[in-house]
């Protein structure tokens, strides 16, 4: 356990909670880092109480004589050397990685009526998206554009060149293979965007076709397996930027990103995998060799049967999933059959915010 005296002065002062340093109405900082005096140091530390009477320490600063009061609970939680908090909520350490067997008997799902009526059910469903990467809402009204209403229960719709929503059904002149009866192997959507949509919703309006079943794969789990089984391939996929592209007569999108994105601590944080939209890599020949071997290896791993969570969407089902983590798939279906989904995109930071507010309310209720 670290002590106050070992706290770096600029760090400690930057966290001063006083009304001169932070606007009490919103907690936002009122000073620039460059406003702090050179040679800032702790002059004295006194025992005191916070305004609400909690045990605290008061720091008197030199050379400016400023005074800062830090609650002991805040110091215990934040001083360097205190147990490291979780990550930012998006990386592999903050998730429960799964394979199909690992979710047996605990498929993340919720009834729409309960989800909309009971904040605890809503929090549980949103929590599932953060933890497992998805939730299936059942009994969602089978109505045109309802998928937008689902997105608005926790965030904001991300409009794209496909519109506010996209129709997943057999089209006469499809600008995307999703709009045919073809099998779609596990992929993330829209890797050709930067930023990529972090959440996808798929709402089933009808599914009378033979086949057209759904599949999900935990891309973080697959990437972690690759790291364990073939560290060199993993390293290549975290490093080599891949150009993803999408084009039709109105659109020309491109984004250069590795298949496996990592955070500054090297943890898996973002998967992009889509065989339909991978463009032409232009790299030295040896690097292309290494990339293609690794890409193929990852592709084989992602198609292992034990990683595929298979289920069938029924009318009224709406899947909400983390498009930076999970891959989704569907089996081929007879184009004569009636199958119609409506999809949209949204962002997971908004979902995480809604979940945090629900939890805050649950604590204060
Ligand atoms: C898509 C897609 C899956 C399906 O539209 O991006 O992957 O079940 N659809 O049709
Ligand atoms: Zn202050
Ligand atoms: Zn898709």
């Amino acid at each position: 356990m670290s002590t106050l005296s070992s706290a770096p002065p600029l760090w400690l002062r930057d966290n001063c909670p006083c009304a001169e340093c932070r606007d009490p109405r919103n907690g936002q900082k009122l000073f620039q880092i460059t406003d702090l005096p050179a040679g800032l140091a702790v002059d004295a530390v006194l025992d005191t109480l916070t305004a609400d009477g909690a045990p605290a320490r008061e720091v008197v600063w030199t050379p400016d004589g400023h005074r800062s009061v830090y609650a002991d609970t805040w110091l215990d939680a934040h001083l360097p050397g205190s147990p490291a908090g979780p990550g930012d909520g998006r990386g592999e350490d903050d998730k429960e990685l799964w394979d199909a067997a690992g979710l047996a008997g605990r498929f993340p799902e919720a009834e729409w009526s309960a989800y909309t009526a009971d904040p605890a059910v809503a929090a549980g469903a949103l929590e599932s998206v953060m933890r497992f990467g998805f939730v299936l809402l059942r009994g969602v009204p089978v109505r045109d554009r309802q998928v937008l209403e689902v997105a608005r229960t926790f965030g904001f719709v991300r409009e794209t060149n496909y519109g506010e929503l996209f129709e997943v059904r057999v089209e006469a002149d499809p600008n995307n293979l999703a709009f045919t009866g073809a099998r779609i192997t596990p992929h993330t959507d829209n890797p050709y965007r930067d930023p990529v949509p972090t959440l996808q919703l798929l709402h089933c309006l009808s599914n009378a076709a033979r086949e057209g079943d759904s599949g999900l794969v935990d891309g973080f789990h697959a990437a972690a397996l690759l790291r364990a089984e073939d560290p060199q391939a993993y390293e290549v996929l975290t490093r080599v930027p891949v150009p993803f592209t999408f084009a039709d007569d109105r659109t020309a999108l491109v984004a250069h990103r590795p298949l496996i994105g990592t955070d500054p601590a090297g943890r898996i944080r973002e998967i992009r995998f889509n065989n339909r939209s991978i463009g032409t890599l232009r790299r030295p020949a040896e690097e292309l060799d290494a990339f293609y071997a690794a890409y193929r290896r990852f592709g084989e791993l992602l198609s292992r049967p034990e990683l595929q969570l298979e289920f069938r969407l029924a009318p009224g089902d709406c899947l909400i999933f983390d498009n930076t983590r999970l891959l989704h798939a569907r089996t081929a279906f007879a184009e004569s059959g009636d199958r119609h989904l409506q999809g949209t995109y949204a962002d997971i930071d908004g979902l995480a915010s809604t979940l945090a507010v629900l939890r805050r309310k649950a604590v204060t209720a």
Side-chain angles (χ1 to χ4, degrees):
M1 177 65 194
S2 164
T3 61
L4 218 170
S5 56
S6 64
L10 280 170
W11 173 84
L12 189 60
R13 177 65 174 269
D14 193 36
N15 286 289
C16 177
C18 87
E20 218 176 285
C21 290
R22 284 169 185 263
D23 188 322
R25 294 168 300 183
N26 48 47
Q28 295 208 321
K29 281 185 186 146
L30 294 165
F31 62 93
Q32 311 288 330
I33 195 67
T34 47
D35 293 338
L36 298 179
L40 185 71
V42 171
D43 195 20
V45 180
L46 316 164
D47 286 331
T48 184
L49 297 174
T50 64
D52 0 330
R57 334 278 330 265
E58 179 169 33
V59 170
V60 185
W61 295 97
T62 180
D64 63 355
H66 191 75
R67 288 168 175 263
S68 307
V69 174
Y70 303 95
D72 286 359
T73 49
W74 186 87
L75 292 169
D76 288 346
H78 294 92
L79 275 177
S82 30
D88 69 354
R90 297 277 298 281
E92 59 179 315
D93 287 357
D94 296 309
K95 310 294 186 187
E96 185 173 338
L97 308 191
W98 52 262
D99 58 16
L103 285 184
R106 52 179 194 143
F107 189 92
E109 59 188 331
E111 274 300 319
W112 173 251
S113 54
Y115 171 83
T116 50
D118 182 349
V121 174
L126 301 182
E127 168 72 33
S128 292
V129 178
M130 298 307 294
R131 184 159 154 213
F132 300 112
F134 74 103
V135 70
L136 183 62
L137 297 180
R138 300 203 186 266
V140 177
V142 178
R143 265 203 304 257
D144 183 43
R145 301 175 69 77
Q146 176 70 22
V147 70
L148 302 175
E149 297 308 313
V150 177
R152 289 179 184 125
T153 61
F154 60 78
F156 304 93
V157 169
R158 166 98 81 96
E159 193 171 349
T160 70
N161 58 298
Y162 298 112
E164 272 186 305
L165 61 76
F166 50 91
E167 309 281 357
V168 188
R169 63 183 167 199
V170 175
E171 304 271 356
D173 184 19
N175 69 349
N176 191 309
L177 283 178
F179 314 145
T180 70
R183 171 186 179 214
I184 308 271
T185 51
H187 66 283
T188 63
D189 261 29
N190 293 204
Y192 41 78
R193 287 184 214 285
D194 186 13
V196 73
T198 45
L199 282 180
Q200 183 173 353
L201 288 81
L202 286 173
H203 179 214
C204 179
L205 297 175
S206 64
N207 196 3
R210 243 179 316 108
E211 302 279 341
D213 293 349
S214 300
L216 290 173
V217 176
D218 184 353
F220 282 13
H221 179 54
L225 285 172
L226 182 69
R227 182 174 55 201
E229 294 176 12
D230 190 342
Q232 215 178 335
Y234 171 83
E235 195 274 330
V236 167
L237 297 189
T238 60
R239 195 170 40 77
V240 177
V242 175
F244 288 100
T245 63
F246 176 86
D248 66 10
D249 50 8
R250 298 182 304 125
T251 312
L253 287 161
V254 57
H256 293 73
R257 280 282 179 272
L259 299 192
I260 302 173
T262 50
D263 72 9
R267 294 174 290 219
I268 300 160
R269 192 174 192 275
E270 186 168 292
I271 304 295
R272 292 187 193 224
F273 193 94
N274 194 315
N275 70 297
R276 283 169 288 150
S277 55
I278 217 164
T280 304
L281 283 83
R282 300 173 67 182
R283 315 285 302 179
E286 325 76 73
E287 206 176 305
L288 291 175
D289 262 338
F291 171 79
Y292 269 91
Y295 172 33
R296 192 180 170 113
R297 186 95 201 229
F298 193 34
E300 283 165 3
L301 215 158
L302 286 165
S303 49
R304 283 187 191 163
E306 64 270 26
L307 266 54
Q308 319 295 314
L309 182 69
E310 284 162 354
F311 55 97
R312 186 174 172 82
L313 291 176
D317 285 349
C318 184
L319 194 60
I320 304 172
F321 58 96
D322 180 348
N323 187 51
T324 63
R325 173 180 170 194
L326 297 197
L327 293 85
H328 59 287
R330 69 148 193 251
T331 60
F333 60 92
E335 296 204 354
S336 55
D338 179 34
R339 184 178 189 275
H340 184 194
L341 314 183
Q342 285 183 329
T344 194
Y345 301 110
D347 282 303
I348 199 164
D349 56 349
L351 183 149
S353 163
T354 301
L355 175 58
V357 170
L358 284 168
R359 285 196 187 128
R360 194 162 75 197
K361 285 190 185 142
V363 169
T364 53

